[in-house]
Amino acid sequence: MAPVTMSDVARVAGVSVMTVSNVVNGRPRVSAETRLRVLEVVADLGYEVNLTAKRLRAGRTGTVALVVPRFDHPYFGELAGRFATLLGEKGLHLAVEQSGASREGELSAVSHARLHMYDGVILSVVGLHYDDVDRLRTDLPIVLLGEQVVPERFDHVMMANVEGARLATAHLLERGSRRVAMAGGTPSGPSTGASELRSEGWRAAHRDAGLEPPEDLLVPMPDLEAATAHRVVAEALARARERGALPDAVFAVTDQVSLGVRAALHDAGLRVPQDVRLIGFDDLGLVQHVPPGLSSVDPHNGWIVERATDLLLSRIAGSTEPPQHLVAPASIAARASTA
Amino acid sequence: MAPVTMSDVARVAGVSVMTVSNVVNGRPRVSAETRLRVLEVVADLGYEVNLTAKRLRAGRTGTVALVVPRFDHPYFGELAGRFATLLGEKGLHLAVEQSGASREGELSAVSHARLHMYDGVILSVVGLHYDDVDRLRTDLPIVLLGEQVVPERFDHVMMANVEGARLATAHLLERGSRRVAMAGGTPSGPSTGASELRSEGWRAAHRDAGLEPPEDLLVPMPDLEAATAHRVVAEALARARERGALPDAVFAVTDQVSLGVRAALHDAGLRVPQDVRLIGFDDLGLVQHVPPGLSSVDPHNGWIVERATDLLLSRIAGSTEPPQHLVAPASIAARASTA
DNA sequence: GGCGAAGGCTTTATCGATATACCTGGGTGC
DNA sequence: GCACCCAGGTATATCGATAAAGCCTTCGCC
């Protein structure tokens, strides 16, 4: 029951621990005969290396961590899946940790990860402020994802928030929509998060089309859950209907929100796209299966994951290049909801 | 840049490493004065314990692993979120790893986890066969989740597959449906996975109602992705329409499949629930927002997570109780899709 | 005043694996 | 015949933290 160690194998095989290590790691300088005997004992006893010990000595585990705000958001699930696949090809393992989208959670997750369980960390920044991030020590390779403005000294990969939102809104305006609401939008202010940046894109598209951004069609939300969007948008629609001022299109700040909006529209008896066009952001795999097929902004997650992985791996390899700040391209995945 | 170790702190503070350890861990036998000085140096240098070393010595990291087949399935995302919350309350961290739903992937994930990076493992079994599981060494606490039959000697928590499927099908039959298709169902055979077990439940409900299970209404699928379901069901509907034998209800083996079925029904111009009733399995948070609101079997994930956590924690604490095999209750979450 | 106890700290051994230096016996070169 | 090389191993130190035991002082108490 007690774990089998190298010295157990060594004792049984009648050789030194070092020889066992050499055999197990396929190093030269061991006679074929000895090698065979050791391997036999290894199989017999069911020996496996203790990664913890190996790590302590070697300084690496072959595992990197991805810290996401929440496990139960499909967006992060998709992201994690991509990272796992890509890292797997490079011979590394991925462990995912949840930060809870709160400042404390992320701080604790990073400090925990920092504690050398992993060779590197990909941190999806949501709750942390500039100063918090700035305070992170960096004896561990870190790549940041997310929409916050972060200190220069970190590698950072982000989505094209403004541009993606601009494309989405323009897509709706081009198709003839004139009252384009933004679900999860926020009034002008400091550009600190996805919601603010995407609202900027929504404004830009209006101005590009020679229109004044209709600020009354911004529908702010306390969070970006589907359930919240469902509720908030239902209320907003009821009010708009009273005033006889229904929107003819909705740009949802995320696909999760888009899902809630879709549900609220359905409840209100409004058809998509005949009465209201709808487009989201993230291009989650599932939205194409939500009737009638929801359009979305494709943030090119594949690109993001590749770049972030490259950056992390080169840092792990010891690169001291100046930190990079990359922005992914964005494009429209047009489906029936904006036809 | 190089990580700060205890001996760095010790040197600067002019004490022994052991004293630093005692201060950091709040052990007695250190004068208030020394304690203060050490803490100052700790803050100055930004020292943090090296968990790897601690682990090697103490035999525990305070982190447990959850191994799931895929990161990008909402079901596992929800599950992971629940585990993280619950374990967090108990002072433990959760790291999630992906096995890739393949035999090799799960074996490698378990062997990797076994290698003492974690204090315990919750393994969601999908690709492994009985023999593979049986071959696992068990010097690390393991709790199994999932629908496979597993060796007695492991703790195991599973869903009420047969019963849940029976309830769902009965729910449809009670509402007057008479041609209840099963999307993702499989012909009678050895009960090795969720699909087989749930098909058994579908049969049982028919027999309970005095009906012969309509085996021609089983729609098998190569995998349980929404996209696959969308495609396969679309084809099945086309064939059924030709024969003039459309179903009047569908029980989908999972909510992912249910989503694909919903899309296929929409494409075929069939209304839910007027033309076809629809119910899934898993009660994912998102299905209530998919128009018109999809019914589902609630597998009581909260219960599963609590039991699994309890079992794991008590194993970690050293319990040698006989292994437990638990089955969660199941109930129907009725929504508009089966009204 | 002497002796045990307790406080405050340091030393030593250890977790499991591995890099490095070191040892031994038989060729090889010249 | 002597120095040197090399294959095949072994012995030692080390990664960072910690349990356990050891070593001085100082203090209390009979």
Side-chain angles (χ1 to χ4, degrees), chain A residues 5 26 43 102 151 166 175-176 192 213 221 224 272 282 285 301 306 308 320:
Chain A
T5 75
S102 71
R166 198 186 62 69
R175 274 163 182 63
T192 56
M221 304 189 179
L224 303 181
V272 176
D282 286 345
N301 286 325
E306 277 169 32
T320 55

Side-chain angles (χ1 to χ4, degrees), chain B:
Chain B
M1 208 61 174
V4 180
T5 76
M6 247 184 200
S7 68
D8 295 333
V9 176
R11 190 163 14 78
V12 175
V15 295
S16 75
V17 195
M18 202 56 225
T19 298
V20 177
S21 173
N22 286 330
V23 170
V24 169
N25 293 284
R27 282 184 281 257
R29 311 235 141 182
V30 181
S31 70
E33 192 186 349
T34 309
R35 180 179 305 276
L36 221 64
R37 183 153 38 92
V38 170
L39 287 177
E40 240 168 57
V41 176
V42 164
D44 273 9
L45 302 186
Y47 166 79
E48 288 194 30
V49 246
N50 179 328
L51 259 200
T52 305
K54 190 177 193 131
R55 163 71 161 123
L56 178 57
R57 190 86 244 282
R60 36 191 10 272
T61 45
T63 302
V64 315
L66 169 66
V67 180
V68 300
R70 307 201 34 181
F71 285 136
D72 57 0
H73 272 46
Y75 176 72
F76 294 112
E78 290 192 9
L79 206 63
R82 286 174 187 271
F83 271 117
T85 305
L86 195 54
L87 286 165
E89 287 167 10
K90 315 255 183 187
L92 289 172
H93 257 267
L94 179 71
V96 186
E97 301 214 8
Q98 172 171 272
S99 62
S102 72
R103 189 166 162 247
E104 293 69 30
E106 277 174 25
L107 278 175
S108 122
V110 177
S111 102
H112 185 254
R114 240 180 108 295
L115 310 177
H116 303 153
M117 294 260 307
Y118 306 111
D119 292 345
V121 177
I122 301 162
L123 174 66
S124 189
V125 186
V126 169
L128 294 180
H129 295 305
Y130 187 99
D131 290 347
D132 299 321
V133 176
D134 203 25
R135 215 167 289 129
L136 291 178
R137 306 239 350 280
T138 45
D139 32 351
L140 190 72
I142 298 185
V143 173
L144 302 176
L145 300 181
E147 320 316 335
Q148 310 273 17
V149 177
V150 300
E152 282 289 326
R153 66 191 168 92
F154 292 99
D155 290 313
H156 185 203
V157 183
M158 64 190 299
M159 293 183 188
N161 285 295
V162 179
E163 175 62 6
R166 199 187 60 70
L167 286 173
T169 311
H171 177 77
L172 295 169
L173 293 172
E174 276 164 22
R175 274 161 183 66
S177 299
R178 274 303 164 270
R179 295 185 48 75
V180 179
M182 178 161 173
T186 44
S188 244
S191 301
T192 57
S195 184
E196 286 78 7
L197 292 167
R198 293 178 190 175
S199 301
E200 273 316 315
W202 172 84
R203 286 190 190 90
H206 280 90
R207 284 192 286 260
D208 289 353
L211 304 166
E212 189 64 23
E215 301 278 336
D216 59 310
L217 291 180
L218 286 174
V219 183
M221 304 191 180
D223 62 58
L224 304 182
E225 304 293 318
T228 309
H230 192 155
R231 180 172 49 76
V232 171
V233 171
E235 293 165 9
L237 284 174
R239 283 196 306 275
R241 181 165 263 158
E242 265 176 39
R243 296 200 314 271
L246 285 170
D248 58 3
V250 178
F251 164 45
V253 69
T254 68
D255 276 350
Q256 289 267 90
V257 168
S258 184
L259 209 61
V261 172
R262 174 76 191 87
L265 290 171
H266 175 268
D267 294 351
L270 294 166
R271 292 164 306 163
V272 176
Q274 295 88 334
D275 300 322
V276 178
R277 293 193 179 86
L278 175 61
I279 188 167
F281 201 120
D282 286 345
D283 199 28
L284 297 182
L286 64 93
V287 298
Q288 57 187 294
H289 303 295
V290 173
L294 305 186
S295 299
S296 193
V297 175
D298 176 356
H300 291 228
N301 286 325
W303 191 95
I304 292 177
V305 167
E306 276 170 32
R307 292 283 78 69
T309 303
D310 285 353
L311 286 173
L312 191 69
L313 291 184
S314 73
R315 289 296 166 204
I316 290 177
S319 154
T320 54
E321 304 256 306
Q324 299 203 35
H325 296 254
L326 307 176
V327 179
S331 57
I332 298 295
R335 303 206 177 85
S337 74
T338 55

Side-chain angles (χ1 to χ4, degrees), chain A residues 149-160:
Chain A
V149 178
V150 302
E152 282 291 326
R153 66 192 169 91
F154 291 99
D155 289 313
H156 184 203
V157 183
M158 64 189 298
M159 292 183 189

Side-chain angles (χ1 to χ4, degrees), chain A residues 243-268:
Chain A
R243 295 201 314 272
L246 285 170
D248 58 4
V250 179
F251 165 45
V253 68
T254 68
D255 276 351
Q256 290 265 88
V257 168
S258 184
L259 209 62
V261 172
R262 174 76 192 87
L265 290 171
H266 176 267
D267 294 351

